[in-house]
Amino acid sequence: MRKIRAWGMLILMGMSVFLLSGCGGGSLDSGNPIDPETTEGIPNNSPDTYDTQKVLEGSWLAINSTYEYSVKNFSFRLNSARLTFDSVDIKGTVAQSKISSRQEWFSFYTSSDVNIDLGVQSLGLDFDARTGTMIHQGKDRWRCNIDGDTKILMNILVSSDNVIQVNYQGTAGNLYRNTGAEYNLTLIFRKQEYSR
């Protein structure tokens, strides 16, 4: 008799769980995820810590004194990098600016039979007063696409009133015998102070 009651209780508990769970819902439903990091989507309207428009406006110099990176057959060492943001205009989660860039990288090509010094290269990151269209990615984070013939992506993190980090993603064109190289590198820039 006790065995029958025990089985009856187990069956009743199982049916209760089934009925309370409902016939819809569950993790297989399509719709918005619950994760708070992704519910706002992109562009993200989380407020920035800094006045981004005011902070970005001006000239910036890379402070990575020994930055190096390598990709297949190529290695690079930073000589200098400079960024200038002019006419920064932010409207909500979208912004535009005229951006100029100058970069110098000591570049080397290496394969099984050769080691070649390619001299100083810009990696295609030299341009003047191109329009950068920025989308807010989250608190103090902006994704910037540079308009023009080449596609250059810059992910900008505003770290303070005078420091930004910029992650560059793209492809450097013909570096050696019609061979290019992809890049994904992050530089730290400090805002230049003007003195009289």
Side-chain angles (χ1 to χ4, degrees):
M1 189 72 170
R2 285 186 180 174
K3 284 185 180 179
I4 294 174
R5 272 194 243 168
W7 278 109
M9 286 295 283
L10 283 174
I11 291 171
L12 184 60
M13 287 173 28
M15 289 179 61
S16 297
V17 169
F18 176 75
L19 291 173
L20 290 173
S21 66
C23 55
S27 61
L28 298 179
D29 276 348
S30 61
N32 292 336
I34 297 171
D35 182 359
E37 293 293 310
T38 58
T39 52
E40 290 189 71
I42 304 297
N44 184 304
N45 61 4
S46 298
D48 284 346
T49 308
Y50 308 95
D51 181 347
T52 304
Q53 186 166 311
K54 183 178 176 184
V55 169
L56 286 182
E57 190 83 28
S59 293
W60 298 81
L61 190 63
I63 58 175
N64 309 70
S65 58
T66 59
Y67 191 91
E68 297 180 0
Y69 80 98
S70 298
V71 292
K72 183 180 180 184
N73 298 121
F74 292 97
S75 59
F76 305 94
R77 188 176 74 247
L78 180 66
N79 182 42
S80 67
R82 179 182 306 274
L83 266 177
T84 304
F85 292 86
D86 287 317
S87 307
V88 179
D89 183 27
I90 297 178
K91 300 275 194 260
T93 58
V94 179
Q96 281 198 331
S97 177
K98 291 294 182 190
I99 303 174
S100 298
S101 173
R102 288 285 174 267
Q103 295 204 10
E104 293 182 352
W105 293 86
F106 296 113
S107 305
F108 305 89
Y109 177 83
T110 305
S111 70
S112 56
D113 55 345
V114 293
N115 248 340
I116 299 173
D117 182 344
L118 301 175
V120 176
Q121 303 278 336
S122 73
L123 306 186
L125 294 170
D126 279 0
F127 52 87
D128 292 310
R130 287 220 194 138
T131 300
T133 302
M134 299 187 286
I135 297 175
H136 198 242
Q137 298 289 291
K139 186 175 185 177
D140 302 318
R141 296 178 183 274
W142 293 81
R143 177 185 176 97
C144 178
N145 288 93
I146 304 298
D147 297 344
D149 297 332
T150 58
K151 296 296 180 191
I152 299 169
L153 170 65
M154 301 181 346
N155 291 301
I156 302 167
L157 169 62
V158 180
S159 301
S160 74
D161 286 329
N162 60 0
V163 174
I164 59 173
Q165 294 179 46
V166 181
N167 169 255
Y168 292 89
Q169 295 176 28
T171 303
N174 181 8
L175 295 173
Y176 178 72
R177 293 189 176 176
N178 297 320
T179 304
E182 289 186 8
Y183 55 82
N184 186 341
L185 56 103
T186 301
L187 298 178
I188 300 171
F189 289 85
R190 184 177 303 282
K191 195 168 194 177
Q192 290 190 284
E193 301 293 331
Y194 294 103
S195 60
R196 294 180 185 221

